[in-house]
Amino acid sequence: MKEYEVMIMNSELDIYGRAYVHWKSWLETYKGLIDSSYLKNEHTLDRCIEIAKKDKAETLLAKDKNKVIGFIGFGKNRENIPDSGEIYGLYVLKEYQNKKIGYELIKSAIHLLSKYNYISLWVLKGNIKAINFYKKVGFILTGEEKKAVLGNEIIELKMIYKQTSFDLG
């Protein structure tokens, strides 16, 4: 039996829950992939709260009772690629991973993005767990990369999903 539910973010309390998941999951997931001083000094809970307050992306939350345990942000592709949506971010607290929460979130987002033939996302190079998860859902690596600086230089890999490539049943 599911211990959580997926819902649209719709309250001030949800914003703070989303911000906490964003902050905490980066600390849990990106240790060793992103510069530790950046994670400690730049990626703060206050910064994540500001991001969550300003973000206009469609957001679905996974909640265990009233506690936000994961979220996915999505919408129109930010690169202005015609007929393409984008997953902007998917995060689940470590203690709730491997319970199909990420799958439920992405399944719901893909359904809500069904007007687009393609959906893209960027994943941190070296985040093998995430890359394998997205592959299982039906995303494929395109070979496209982009660089960013988060304390140190990081590389993100582009993945794409064709709406007809996987039946989310």
Side-chain angles (χ1 to χ4, degrees):
M1 185 174 154
K2 274 198 316 192
E3 302 170 10
Y4 63 92
E5 59 183 323
V6 172
M7 63 186 58
I8 294 172
M9 185 171 80
N10 64 6
S11 75
E12 183 86 10
L13 195 56
D14 287 347
I15 289 171
Y16 288 97
R18 177 204 144 149
Y20 177 79
V21 170
H22 182 188
W23 172 72
K24 183 72 171 170
S25 63
W26 271 48
L27 298 179
E28 294 169 339
T29 303
Y30 296 144
K31 186 177 183 179
L33 295 174
I34 293 178
D35 182 66
S36 61
S37 65
Y38 179 88
L39 289 174
K40 181 180 178 184
N41 301 315
E42 302 294 324
H43 181 73
T44 64
L45 181 55
D46 286 341
R47 182 173 179 270
C48 291
I49 291 168
E50 287 306 310
I51 290 169
K53 285 181 177 180
K54 291 178 184 176
D55 193 358
K56 302 297 181 207
E58 295 180 70
T59 303
L60 294 175
L61 304 175
K63 286 184 163 184
D64 181 358
K65 298 183 178 67
N66 289 324
K67 178 183 178 183
V68 178
I69 58 173
F71 77 90
I72 189 167
F74 58 96
K76 186 178 187 304
N77 184 286
R78 294 176 287 191
E79 298 172 283
N80 293 319
I81 298 171
D83 198 26
S84 182
E86 184 176 354
I87 303 295
Y88 306 139
L90 170 60
Y91 301 102
V92 176
L93 293 174
K94 190 171 188 172
E95 67 191 273
Y96 290 92
Q97 291 177 4
N98 301 312
K99 296 182 179 187
K100 301 221 181 267
I101 295 167
Y103 177 79
E104 289 293 328
L105 286 166
I106 203 162
K107 176 178 141 180
S108 298
I110 288 171
H111 175 73
L112 292 169
L113 291 168
S114 64
K115 66 182 175 184
Y116 300 108
N117 281 326
Y118 297 93
I119 301 169
S120 65
L121 60 81
W122 292 91
V123 62
L124 191 60
K125 185 176 185 175
N127 190 351
I128 304 304
K129 185 175 180 181
I131 291 167
N132 289 336
F133 168 78
Y134 292 128
K135 283 180 177 179
K136 284 181 187 175
V137 173
F139 283 83
I140 58 167
L141 288 163
T142 66
E144 191 175 339
E145 297 182 355
K146 69 178 178 180
K147 295 178 183 179
V149 177
L150 298 176
N152 60 328
E153 186 175 277
I154 61 162
I155 296 174
E156 292 179 291
L157 308 174
K158 187 174 189 176
M159 299 186 80
I160 198 160
Y161 171 92
K162 187 171 182 343
Q163 282 285 13
T164 59
S165 67
F166 186 73
D167 179 15
L168 292 170

